[in-house]
Amino acid sequence: MKPIFSRQLVTASALAIAMGLGYAGAQQSPTPADPMPQGQTQDQSQNADDNPGELSPEAQQEARQAANNNQPLSAETPVSPGMPDSFATLVEKVAPAVVNITTTSVVSRPASQDGGPSFPEGSPFSDLFRDFGFGPQGPEGGPRAPMGPQRSNALGSGFVISAEGFIVTNNHVIDGADEIEIEFYSGERLPAEVIGTDPNTDIAVLKVDSPDPLPFVEFGDSDSARVGDWVLALGNPLGQGFSASTGIVSARNRELSGTYDDYLQTDAAINRGNSGGPLFDMNGRVVGVNTAILSPSGGSIGIGFSMASNVVSSVVDQLREYGETRRGWLGVKIQDVTPDMAEAMGLAAENGAMVTDVPEGPARDAGMEAGDVITSFDGGEVEDTRSLVRRVADAPAGEAVEVIVQRNGEPMTLSVTLGRRELAEGNGTASVGSSEDPETQSNVLGMQLSPLSPELAAELGVSRDMQGLVVQAVDPEGDAAEKGIAAGDIITEAGQQPVTSMSDMEDRISEARDAGRKSILVLIRRAGEPRFVALPIAES
């Protein structure tokens, strides 16, 4: 499916979003010197912070008991399909698991933010404002005092998913934060640490240390959500504290700008500050994470987007276990099957994903060819390229899956051992797993290298017969990192000669030094694509 909007995503800290998509969070927190938002008094602001909401004693007791029993908060009985008389009971049940998030970061203040507006160099307005004391010079012609770094606060929402204190929010809510503070519905505040983030789905997992078990909620099945179903959004809109809004699922399977997008569209009021907050079904289960809005002014006009819980829950599980995502990688280039293509190939339907290229990787090793149409992956039907990308990403790296393709009008079943997408793209943050003994690993030229074993080859999604050296880790301040080498890269040549062991690599470096060269040419492979890199070899 093509993106429903072509407008660029901008952050919600912008003052206005001109008919574009904006994140529904990262609301800037007013500082003491800032005027209060229009229509809000100082007393109202304090009430929004100090009294986020009231729960009945019974509801508070039930929340504590559920936390102590390690049970998720939810509605006791499913709500009838008709329009409910009130959402109050549902709100009371799940509210204790919803949190406000305040982030603090230290940002540099550029010269353009010295009290006056910023204009392009040479603009006639720059001279006008300089005459009034704005700009690089003061009103007397002398230099203006440099502006030092300043602290910036932002607000967002989130929800607790375990009694141990794991919290889910949007990545853009906490991205770049130096400090993160969680405010619970009870008013208690605790610092939080980042467990892991996934910018591809805009999801982050945080952790707080609480002396007592925390009330939490669980994920529901977003695939079962129907257009027209009632939903409840909870969060911290515009920094006003706890707030609830209701609406329906307006659409499903919305795609905005990401590879793994699967949004529920809702008309429940979502504003800046709501980002990371939960979207509940009538059973009190989270079916979405509120992420973005479509708005001409930055406020809600009834078009909001929540990342589907079935996508979020898979990402959260990986972030909790590994601190990063570990998506499967098939190693093919694909396109949707059009009606004309289906007719020309004699296909019964225009479903599936057409393989346009098979570079070196898992698919090629399994015998897949350009022109194949993938119709089934790991037992599930492939409707289009988007569904295939999601299925492959959800599959575990390093495991074999069955892939059914149509070739020359006949079905063919292939067994493909998936690689890991992050390593194939050079975005892996952790060292590559290794079955080699530590003695076979060595730090060379700012890289930790080890021989490529069949096990590592399977994990990286390359041929088990490939030979070379695997980059296990890279010194972030070294020359290799500066040249773009990353964990998961495979060095197959050095000095234009094959290398299969650490001794080969050291011999090539010694030969280059003896020849008076200042660098050595190495051939690396990433996602099957070769690239030459010249690395300095000057002796330290």
Side-chain angles (χ1 to χ4, degrees):
M1 178 185 297
K2 295 181 179 179
I4 57 174
F5 303 111
S6 60
R7 302 172 182 87
Q8 184 178 5
L9 277 169
V10 296
T11 60
S13 57
L15 294 179
I17 305 171
M19 286 309 293
L21 284 165
Y23 289 130
Q27 166 69 24
Q28 295 299 311
S29 175
T31 62
D34 291 334
M36 299 308 300
Q38 183 177 2
Q40 178 180 319
T41 66
Q42 181 69 30
D43 290 340
Q44 288 173 328
S45 175
Q46 291 173 349
N47 289 340
D49 266 344
D50 300 336
N51 186 22
E54 295 183 359
L55 289 178
S56 66
E58 294 81 5
Q60 296 180 36
Q61 177 61 31
E62 289 178 2
R64 286 193 294 268
Q65 184 175 352
N68 291 331
N69 295 334
N70 199 28
Q71 294 293 323
L73 303 176
S74 62
E76 292 181 352
T77 56
V79 177
S80 60
M83 183 174 182
D85 296 330
S86 171
F87 292 87
T89 301
L90 178 59
V91 172
E92 276 197 336
K93 289 290 184 183
V94 299
V98 182
V99 300
N100 297 338
I101 299 177
T102 303
T103 64
T104 303
S105 58
V106 177
V107 296
S108 60
R109 190 174 184 181
S112 61
Q113 296 182 0
D114 52 10
S118 175
F119 297 102
E121 185 66 28
S123 169
F125 294 103
S126 61
D127 294 333
L128 174 64
F129 276 84
R130 187 178 295 111
D131 292 340
F132 285 91
F134 300 112
Q137 292 184 333
E140 302 299 329
R144 180 173 292 275
M147 294 291 179
Q150 65 181 37
R151 300 182 72 83
S152 174
N153 294 332
L155 305 174
S157 306
F159 54 97
V160 184
I161 59 168
S162 76
E164 295 82 13
F166 286 97
I167 295 171
V168 173
T169 186
N170 279 142
N171 176 58
H172 74 260
V173 170
I174 54 90
D175 188 30
D178 298 312
E179 298 176 4
I180 304 173
E181 184 180 66
I182 306 298
E183 180 185 7
F184 295 89
Y185 192 86
S186 63
E188 181 183 9
R189 296 173 182 264
L190 291 173
E193 63 172 332
V194 178
I195 299 300
T197 63
D198 178 33
N200 287 315
T201 55
D202 198 13
I203 294 298
V205 175
L206 313 178
K207 177 72 166 60
V208 296
D209 291 326
S210 173
D212 301 313
L214 296 174
F216 65 98
V217 290
E218 62 181 347
F219 289 107
D221 181 11
S222 56
D223 288 344
S224 66
R226 302 173 301 167
V227 174
D229 281 350
W230 285 102
V231 286
L232 168 72
L234 299 181
N236 179 26
L238 301 172
Q240 295 298 297
F242 180 85
S243 179
S245 62
T246 61
I248 63 170
V249 175
S250 304
R252 299 177 64 246
N253 301 318
R254 290 300 201 195
E255 181 182 3
L256 302 184
S257 61
T259 303
Y260 309 106
D261 284 359
D262 185 9
Y263 287 99
L264 298 178
Q265 180 183 326
T266 179
D267 64 351
I270 298 175
N271 290 283
R272 289 180 292 170
N274 272 116
S275 257
L279 188 73
F280 291 101
D281 62 15
M282 292 296 95
N283 296 319
R285 296 183 176 89
V286 178
V287 293
V289 177
N290 302 324
T291 302
I293 56 177
L294 177 66
S295 171
S297 62
S300 174
I301 60 171
I303 306 177
F305 301 94
S306 299
M307 182 62 77
S309 60
N310 286 2
V311 174
V312 176
S313 59
S314 175
V315 170
V316 167
D317 288 343
Q318 293 186 21
L319 294 180
R320 288 180 62 176
E321 184 174 358
Y322 307 114
E324 62 181 355
T325 55
R326 297 191 175 184
R327 295 185 170 96
W329 178 60
L330 186 59
V332 292
K333 297 180 181 179
I334 54 177
Q335 70 179 74
D336 287 328
V337 178
T338 65
D340 291 342
M341 292 168 57
E343 191 277 332
M345 299 176 67
L347 300 178
E350 56 200 68
N351 296 335
M354 177 80 168
V355 178
T356 60
D357 187 27
V358 189
E360 185 173 337
R364 176 186 287 187
D365 293 341
M368 196 171 295
E369 299 176 359
D372 288 348
V373 177
I374 301 175
T375 58
S376 176
F377 179 87
D378 198 20
E381 181 182 356
V382 175
E383 299 177 358
D384 51 24
T385 56
R386 187 178 170 207
S387 67
L388 177 61
V389 169
R390 280 192 57 188
R391 289 184 180 277
V392 174
D394 291 340
E399 293 190 8
V401 297
E402 283 194 354
V403 180
I404 299 178
V405 302
Q406 291 287 331
R407 181 182 300 173
N408 299 324
E410 298 293 333
M412 177 179 294
T413 301
L414 304 175
S415 179
V416 183
T417 300
L418 300 179
R420 183 180 164 199
R421 187 182 183 96
E422 291 82 2
L423 295 179
E425 295 177 342
N427 297 325
T429 58
S431 298
V432 184
S434 174
S435 59
E436 302 290 333
D437 294 331
E439 288 76 10
T440 66
Q441 300 184 16
S442 180
N443 291 315
V444 178
L445 304 180
M447 303 174 290
Q448 181 178 327
L449 305 177
S450 67
L452 178 63
S453 65
E455 292 78 15
L456 275 177
E459 181 180 343
L460 295 170
V462 300
S463 171
R464 298 175 69 91
D465 297 329
M466 178 180 285
Q467 293 184 325
L469 300 175
V470 179
V471 179
Q472 299 281 346
V474 179
D475 180 0
E477 298 180 356
D479 293 321
E482 185 178 347
K483 297 287 186 177
I485 296 179
D489 287 347
I490 301 173
I491 299 176
T492 57
E493 291 184 10
Q496 296 182 302
Q497 297 183 52
V499 290
T500 60
S501 64
M502 292 308 306
S503 60
D504 288 344
M505 187 70 177
E506 292 167 355
D507 290 344
R508 301 293 88 77
I509 294 174
S510 297
E511 292 168 2
R513 285 173 177 163
D514 293 342
R517 298 190 180 94
K518 296 181 180 180
S519 61
I520 186 171
L521 193 67
V522 298
L523 176 61
I524 67 170
R525 291 186 178 273
R526 179 185 301 171
E529 298 294 331
R531 181 167 69 99
F532 282 101
V533 175
L535 293 176
I537 56 174
E539 296 189 63
S540 57

